[in-house]
Amino acid sequence: MSVLKDILYKVNMKAVTGDTGVTINNIHFDSRKVQLNDVFIAIRGSISDGHDYIKNAENQGALAIVCEKIPDEVINGVTYIEVEDTKRALAYISANYYDNPSEKLKLVGVTGTNGKTTIATLLYDLFTKAGFKCGLLSTVKVMVGNDEHTAIRTTPDSITINSYLKDMNDVGVEFCFMEVSSHGIDQHRTTALKFEGGIFTNLSHDHLDYHKDFAEYRDVKKRFFDELPASAFALTNVDDKNGEIMLQNTKAKKHTYALKSFADYKAQILENNFTGLLLKVDDQELWTKLIGNFNAYNVLAIYAMADLLGLKTLEILRIISELNSVSGRFQYVISEKEKITAIVDYAHTPDALKNVLETINSIRTRNEELITVVGCGGDRDTTKRPKMGHIASALSTKVVFTSDNPRTEDPDKIIEEVEGGVEPQNFKKTMSVTNRKQAIKTACQMAGQNDIILIAGKGHETYQEVNGERVDFDDLKIVNEFLKQLDK
């Protein structure tokens, strides 16, 4: 039970009708969940507007309504709070309702186009192995100490974030590592959270269906660092041309990492093969099971953040060498007889796909074929589709274009747009198989001894979304079954 005026602390109110001294039960932005004496926050979304459901919330017993415009008809006994931005208000209300849980642990946010899940997850693993009780908010899963919960989206809504953080407080979590998406920043889901530090990984083409252009996408990411307090620290990849931009207006203490540029934390790749990476980090050799140049950046960011959070150097190096790859991030299986290597990776952006393919090409002998299975999701940024087709066909020996999560779009139309990026000299390398399972089967049938198959785009996802329905689908499990059939 909370007093309404207490959960409105720091909320910029334009007008109030009614009593803010009333005791409320719960807070919701979904009117269907509202019960007697709850608060309803009316959020304007891309699909629906919460203001259209204020009447529903009132009928279900809402005691207070937070909105951007007080309704013409108000109900006696209901308090109405008018604010400039209900998304921002929701962030402060959620933090206050759960007693500002981010202030009672050390919260680290990871943002950028690629690498967020790997860095956040491996920081959770590293600090857990170091003996700390930790939390994780990621695309793959949510961890409250050792208890695992299903993740719904990269950065959850403000109520869900603060609810999980409160659960972490209750079980004594000391560190929490979370992915911070551009959607989450733009919609103020991370507003009102107190961060101990933030990491910037890199920036490339993504989410331009949501952001009007790349500059807006970059500036939204930058806002996360602009809002960090002076007590926090900001760690950025200065090999990325946007790395310095992220730190331009931050009040946080600035730190940098890089493989190529001058930086506070520097690494050099000594060995790179299918068993892992040997790195030289600050004059110390470090072996990691993670593979590829892009993971060298991830490992360096993890090392730097662990150092900034106070772990000892030798302990950091020892634990990193024990860490395994994250689900759906360069996971691979090798068939027993034919020694065909199948790699499953979440690469769903042009830059991520290019990184993975360049990593495989830098390791392989060129005596084997590299067969890529790839598609693009429906109802998402369409401008990246030809770029994905161009990269896959240019950097692979053979390509099977297929469906990813078509959602409400025609999968054949998506494939056609992906194929639009294939240059004439690469056309004969490509084929299309709409059914993703058949596409994986085709790739396995095409593969010979020692060949490499990359299945890109879905990674850790264990479903495929078609016409609003999710059906069970696991790339790693399916390719493993086909490889076993080949070995018989």
Side-chain angles (χ1 to χ4, degrees), residues 374-397:
V374 67
C376 283
D379 303 332
R380 297 292 186 270
D381 183 2
T382 58
T383 62
K384 72 179 181 183
R385 291 173 185 173
K387 295 180 181 181
M388 296 284 279
H390 168 70
I391 290 165
S393 59
L395 297 177
S396 309
T397 316

PDB file of all heavy atoms in Angstrom, residues 374-397:
ATOM      1  N   VAL A 374      19.995 -17.379 -44.188  1.00  0.00           N
ATOM      2  CA  VAL A 374      19.655 -16.091 -43.584  1.00  0.00           C
ATOM      3  C   VAL A 374      18.360 -15.536 -44.149  1.00  0.00           C
ATOM      4  O   VAL A 374      17.991 -15.826 -45.291  1.00  0.00           O
ATOM      5  CB  VAL A 374      20.810 -15.067 -43.793  1.00  0.00           C
ATOM      6  CG1 VAL A 374      20.976 -14.699 -45.263  1.00  0.00           C
ATOM      7  CG2 VAL A 374      20.613 -13.806 -42.945  1.00  0.00           C
ATOM      8  N   GLY A 375      17.665 -14.754 -43.338  1.00  0.00           N
ATOM      9  CA  GLY A 375      16.458 -14.059 -43.772  1.00  0.00           C
ATOM     10  C   GLY A 375      16.344 -12.751 -43.020  1.00  0.00           C
ATOM     11  O   GLY A 375      17.296 -12.334 -42.349  1.00  0.00           O
ATOM     12  N   CYS A 376      15.206 -12.097 -43.099  1.00  0.00           N
ATOM     13  CA  CYS A 376      14.960 -10.863 -42.345  1.00  0.00           C
ATOM     14  C   CYS A 376      13.564 -10.917 -41.740  1.00  0.00           C
ATOM     15  O   CYS A 376      12.638 -11.483 -42.333  1.00  0.00           O
ATOM     16  CB  CYS A 376      15.072  -9.632 -43.256  1.00  0.00           C
ATOM     17  SG  CYS A 376      16.766  -9.160 -43.653  1.00  0.00           S
ATOM     18  N   GLY A 377      13.417 -10.326 -40.575  1.00  0.00           N
ATOM     19  CA  GLY A 377      12.126 -10.332 -39.884  1.00  0.00           C
ATOM     20  C   GLY A 377      11.103  -9.439 -40.563  1.00  0.00           C
ATOM     21  O   GLY A 377      11.445  -8.431 -41.186  1.00  0.00           O
ATOM     22  N   GLY A 378       9.834  -9.810 -40.436  1.00  0.00           N
ATOM     23  CA  GLY A 378       8.748  -9.008 -40.976  1.00  0.00           C
ATOM     24  C   GLY A 378       8.345  -7.905 -40.023  1.00  0.00           C
ATOM     25  O   GLY A 378       8.652  -7.938 -38.825  1.00  0.00           O
ATOM     26  N   ASP A 379       7.653  -6.881 -40.536  1.00  0.00           N
ATOM     27  CA  ASP A 379       7.165  -5.747 -39.734  1.00  0.00           C
ATOM     28  C   ASP A 379       8.293  -5.010 -39.026  1.00  0.00           C
ATOM     29  O   ASP A 379       8.105  -4.473 -37.933  1.00  0.00           O
ATOM     30  CB  ASP A 379       6.118  -6.209 -38.701  1.00  0.00           C
ATOM     31  CG  ASP A 379       4.950  -6.914 -39.341  1.00  0.00           C
ATOM     32  OD1 ASP A 379       4.650  -6.614 -40.505  1.00  0.00           O
ATOM     33  OD2 ASP A 379       4.355  -7.794 -38.679  1.00  0.00           O
ATOM     34  N   ARG A 380       9.456  -5.033 -39.617  1.00  0.00           N
ATOM     35  CA  ARG A 380      10.624  -4.344 -39.066  1.00  0.00           C
ATOM     36  C   ARG A 380      11.314  -3.581 -40.195  1.00  0.00           C
ATOM     37  O   ARG A 380      10.886  -3.622 -41.336  1.00  0.00           O
ATOM     38  CB  ARG A 380      11.600  -5.352 -38.416  1.00  0.00           C
ATOM     39  CG  ARG A 380      11.048  -6.132 -37.227  1.00  0.00           C
ATOM     40  CD  ARG A 380      10.806  -5.237 -36.021  1.00  0.00           C
ATOM     41  NE  ARG A 380      10.415  -6.006 -34.838  1.00  0.00           N
ATOM     42  CZ  ARG A 380       9.162  -6.310 -34.507  1.00  0.00           C
ATOM     43  NH1 ARG A 380       8.174  -5.946 -35.303  1.00  0.00           N
ATOM     44  NH2 ARG A 380       8.891  -6.979 -33.397  1.00  0.00           N
ATOM     45  N   ASP A 381      12.373  -2.910 -39.873  1.00  0.00           N
ATOM     46  CA  ASP A 381      13.141  -2.079 -40.804  1.00  0.00           C
ATOM     47  C   ASP A 381      13.355  -2.784 -42.149  1.00  0.00           C
ATOM     48  O   ASP A 381      14.079  -3.772 -42.244  1.00  0.00           O
ATOM     49  CB  ASP A 381      14.483  -1.751 -40.142  1.00  0.00           C
ATOM     50  CG  ASP A 381      15.346  -0.823 -40.969  1.00  0.00           C
ATOM     51  OD1 ASP A 381      14.899  -0.390 -42.044  1.00  0.00           O
ATOM     52  OD2 ASP A 381      16.471  -0.534 -40.528  1.00  0.00           O
ATOM     53  N   THR A 382      12.729  -2.263 -43.185  1.00  0.00           N
ATOM     54  CA  THR A 382      12.840  -2.892 -44.509  1.00  0.00           C
ATOM     55  C   THR A 382      14.103  -2.467 -45.252  1.00  0.00           C
ATOM     56  O   THR A 382      14.550  -3.168 -46.159  1.00  0.00           O
ATOM     57  CB  THR A 382      11.624  -2.540 -45.386  1.00  0.00           C
ATOM     58  OG1 THR A 382      11.544  -1.113 -45.518  1.00  0.00           O
ATOM     59  CG2 THR A 382      10.333  -3.048 -44.766  1.00  0.00           C
ATOM     60  N   THR A 383      14.696  -1.331 -44.866  1.00  0.00           N
ATOM     61  CA  THR A 383      15.851  -0.811 -45.613  1.00  0.00           C
ATOM     62  C   THR A 383      17.098  -1.661 -45.452  1.00  0.00           C
ATOM     63  O   THR A 383      18.012  -1.587 -46.269  1.00  0.00           O
ATOM     64  CB  THR A 383      16.173   0.636 -45.186  1.00  0.00           C
ATOM     65  OG1 THR A 383      16.514   0.658 -43.796  1.00  0.00           O
ATOM     66  CG2 THR A 383      14.987   1.554 -45.427  1.00  0.00           C
ATOM     67  N   LYS A 384      17.133  -2.491 -44.399  1.00  0.00           N
ATOM     68  CA  LYS A 384      18.331  -3.318 -44.199  1.00  0.00           C
ATOM     69  C   LYS A 384      18.291  -4.610 -45.025  1.00  0.00           C
ATOM     70  O   LYS A 384      19.300  -5.298 -45.146  1.00  0.00           O
ATOM     71  CB  LYS A 384      18.524  -3.645 -42.720  1.00  0.00           C
ATOM     72  CG  LYS A 384      17.543  -4.656 -42.127  1.00  0.00           C
ATOM     73  CD  LYS A 384      17.860  -4.908 -40.660  1.00  0.00           C
ATOM     74  CE  LYS A 384      16.914  -5.931 -40.057  1.00  0.00           C
ATOM     75  NZ  LYS A 384      17.157  -6.145 -38.627  1.00  0.00           N
ATOM     76  N   ARG A 385      17.134  -4.947 -45.585  1.00  0.00           N
ATOM     77  CA  ARG A 385      16.985  -6.240 -46.261  1.00  0.00           C
ATOM     78  C   ARG A 385      17.959  -6.424 -47.427  1.00  0.00           C
ATOM     79  O   ARG A 385      18.689  -7.420 -47.470  1.00  0.00           O
ATOM     80  CB  ARG A 385      15.532  -6.444 -46.694  1.00  0.00           C
ATOM     81  CG  ARG A 385      14.616  -6.645 -45.488  1.00  0.00           C
ATOM     82  CD  ARG A 385      13.145  -6.682 -45.860  1.00  0.00           C
ATOM     83  NE  ARG A 385      12.318  -6.758 -44.656  1.00  0.00           N
ATOM     84  CZ  ARG A 385      10.984  -6.679 -44.655  1.00  0.00           C
ATOM     85  NH1 ARG A 385      10.332  -6.532 -45.796  1.00  0.00           N
ATOM     86  NH2 ARG A 385      10.324  -6.750 -43.517  1.00  0.00           N
ATOM     87  N   PRO A 386      18.034  -5.500 -48.414  1.00  0.00           N
ATOM     88  CA  PRO A 386      19.000  -5.690 -49.498  1.00  0.00           C
ATOM     89  C   PRO A 386      20.444  -5.683 -49.011  1.00  0.00           C
ATOM     90  O   PRO A 386      21.295  -6.370 -49.590  1.00  0.00           O
ATOM     91  CB  PRO A 386      18.716  -4.516 -50.443  1.00  0.00           C
ATOM     92  CG  PRO A 386      17.890  -3.551 -49.673  1.00  0.00           C
ATOM     93  CD  PRO A 386      17.157  -4.334 -48.651  1.00  0.00           C
ATOM     94  N   LYS A 387      20.713  -4.959 -47.934  1.00  0.00           N
ATOM     95  CA  LYS A 387      22.073  -4.933 -47.380  1.00  0.00           C
ATOM     96  C   LYS A 387      22.456  -6.307 -46.833  1.00  0.00           C
ATOM     97  O   LYS A 387      23.586  -6.760 -47.009  1.00  0.00           O
ATOM     98  CB  LYS A 387      22.180  -3.875 -46.271  1.00  0.00           C
ATOM     99  CG  LYS A 387      21.994  -2.455 -46.779  1.00  0.00           C
ATOM    100  CD  LYS A 387      22.118  -1.446 -45.653  1.00  0.00           C
ATOM    101  CE  LYS A 387      21.891  -0.038 -46.193  1.00  0.00           C
ATOM    102  NZ  LYS A 387      22.033   0.982 -45.149  1.00  0.00           N
ATOM    103  N   MET A 388      21.503  -6.955 -46.185  1.00  0.00           N
ATOM    104  CA  MET A 388      21.740  -8.303 -45.666  1.00  0.00           C
ATOM    105  C   MET A 388      21.999  -9.268 -46.821  1.00  0.00           C
ATOM    106  O   MET A 388      22.893 -10.123 -46.760  1.00  0.00           O
ATOM    107  CB  MET A 388      20.537  -8.774 -44.846  1.00  0.00           C
ATOM    108  CG  MET A 388      20.259  -7.968 -43.588  1.00  0.00           C
ATOM    109  SD  MET A 388      21.381  -8.313 -42.224  1.00  0.00           S
ATOM    110  CE  MET A 388      20.640  -9.805 -41.558  1.00  0.00           C
ATOM    111  N   GLY A 389      21.215  -9.139 -47.904  1.00  0.00           N
ATOM    112  CA  GLY A 389      21.400  -9.994 -49.075  1.00  0.00           C
ATOM    113  C   GLY A 389      22.753  -9.792 -49.724  1.00  0.00           C
ATOM    114  O   GLY A 389      23.424 -10.752 -50.127  1.00  0.00           O
ATOM    115  N   HIS A 390      23.167  -8.516 -49.816  1.00  0.00           N
ATOM    116  CA  HIS A 390      24.473  -8.200 -50.412  1.00  0.00           C
ATOM    117  C   HIS A 390      25.616  -8.804 -49.595  1.00  0.00           C
ATOM    118  O   HIS A 390      26.512  -9.460 -50.143  1.00  0.00           O
ATOM    119  CB  HIS A 390      24.650  -6.686 -50.502  1.00  0.00           C
ATOM    120  CG  HIS A 390      26.049  -6.261 -50.823  1.00  0.00           C
ATOM    121  ND1 HIS A 390      26.624  -6.468 -52.059  1.00  0.00           N
ATOM    122  CD2 HIS A 390      27.010  -5.684 -50.045  1.00  0.00           C
ATOM    123  CE1 HIS A 390      27.868  -6.017 -52.041  1.00  0.00           C
ATOM    124  NE2 HIS A 390      28.123  -5.537 -50.826  1.00  0.00           N
ATOM    125  N   ILE A 391      25.579  -8.603 -48.272  1.00  0.00           N
ATOM    126  CA  ILE A 391      26.660  -9.082 -47.398  1.00  0.00           C
ATOM    127  C   ILE A 391      26.729 -10.603 -47.414  1.00  0.00           C
ATOM    128  O   ILE A 391      27.814 -11.189 -47.548  1.00  0.00           O
ATOM    129  CB  ILE A 391      26.451  -8.544 -45.958  1.00  0.00           C
ATOM    130  CG1 ILE A 391      26.703  -7.033 -45.926  1.00  0.00           C
ATOM    131  CG2 ILE A 391      27.365  -9.259 -44.961  1.00  0.00           C
ATOM    132  CD1 ILE A 391      26.190  -6.343 -44.690  1.00  0.00           C
ATOM    133  N   ALA A 392      25.578 -11.269 -47.268  1.00  0.00           N
ATOM    134  CA  ALA A 392      25.554 -12.740 -47.241  1.00  0.00           C
ATOM    135  C   ALA A 392      26.118 -13.323 -48.527  1.00  0.00           C
ATOM    136  O   ALA A 392      26.939 -14.247 -48.505  1.00  0.00           O
ATOM    137  CB  ALA A 392      24.132 -13.244 -47.007  1.00  0.00           C
ATOM    138  N   SER A 393      25.708 -12.776 -49.684  1.00  0.00           N
ATOM    139  CA  SER A 393      26.146 -13.334 -50.969  1.00  0.00           C
ATOM    140  C   SER A 393      27.595 -12.985 -51.290  1.00  0.00           C
ATOM    141  O   SER A 393      28.285 -13.762 -51.952  1.00  0.00           O
ATOM    142  CB  SER A 393      25.229 -12.844 -52.088  1.00  0.00           C
ATOM    143  OG  SER A 393      25.227 -11.422 -52.161  1.00  0.00           O
ATOM    144  N   ALA A 394      28.069 -11.855 -50.802  1.00  0.00           N
ATOM    145  CA  ALA A 394      29.451 -11.449 -51.089  1.00  0.00           C
ATOM    146  C   ALA A 394      30.461 -12.209 -50.238  1.00  0.00           C
ATOM    147  O   ALA A 394      31.582 -12.472 -50.682  1.00  0.00           O
ATOM    148  CB  ALA A 394      29.610  -9.946 -50.868  1.00  0.00           C
ATOM    149  N   LEU A 395      30.063 -12.579 -49.012  1.00  0.00           N
ATOM    150  CA  LEU A 395      31.033 -13.158 -48.073  1.00  0.00           C
ATOM    151  C   LEU A 395      30.847 -14.660 -47.852  1.00  0.00           C
ATOM    152  O   LEU A 395      31.559 -15.251 -47.047  1.00  0.00           O
ATOM    153  CB  LEU A 395      30.953 -12.421 -46.724  1.00  0.00           C
ATOM    154  CG  LEU A 395      31.310 -10.927 -46.758  1.00  0.00           C
ATOM    155  CD1 LEU A 395      31.132 -10.297 -45.379  1.00  0.00           C
ATOM    156  CD2 LEU A 395      32.740 -10.718 -47.239  1.00  0.00           C
ATOM    157  N   SER A 396      29.907 -15.293 -48.571  1.00  0.00           N
ATOM    158  CA  SER A 396      29.678 -16.736 -48.437  1.00  0.00           C
ATOM    159  C   SER A 396      29.978 -17.436 -49.757  1.00  0.00           C
ATOM    160  O   SER A 396      29.981 -16.813 -50.823  1.00  0.00           O
ATOM    161  CB  SER A 396      28.221 -17.009 -48.044  1.00  0.00           C
ATOM    162  OG  SER A 396      27.822 -16.238 -46.939  1.00  0.00           O
ATOM    163  N   THR A 397      30.202 -18.734 -49.666  1.00  0.00           N
ATOM    164  CA  THR A 397      30.357 -19.548 -50.882  1.00  0.00           C
ATOM    165  C   THR A 397      28.999 -19.821 -51.499  1.00  0.00           C
ATOM    166  O   THR A 397      28.827 -19.772 -52.718  1.00  0.00           O
ATOM    167  CB  THR A 397      31.030 -20.887 -50.540  1.00  0.00           C
ATOM    168  OG1 THR A 397      32.125 -20.658 -49.656  1.00  0.00           O
ATOM    169  CG2 THR A 397      31.540 -21.577 -51.785  1.00  0.00           C
TER     170      THR A 397
END
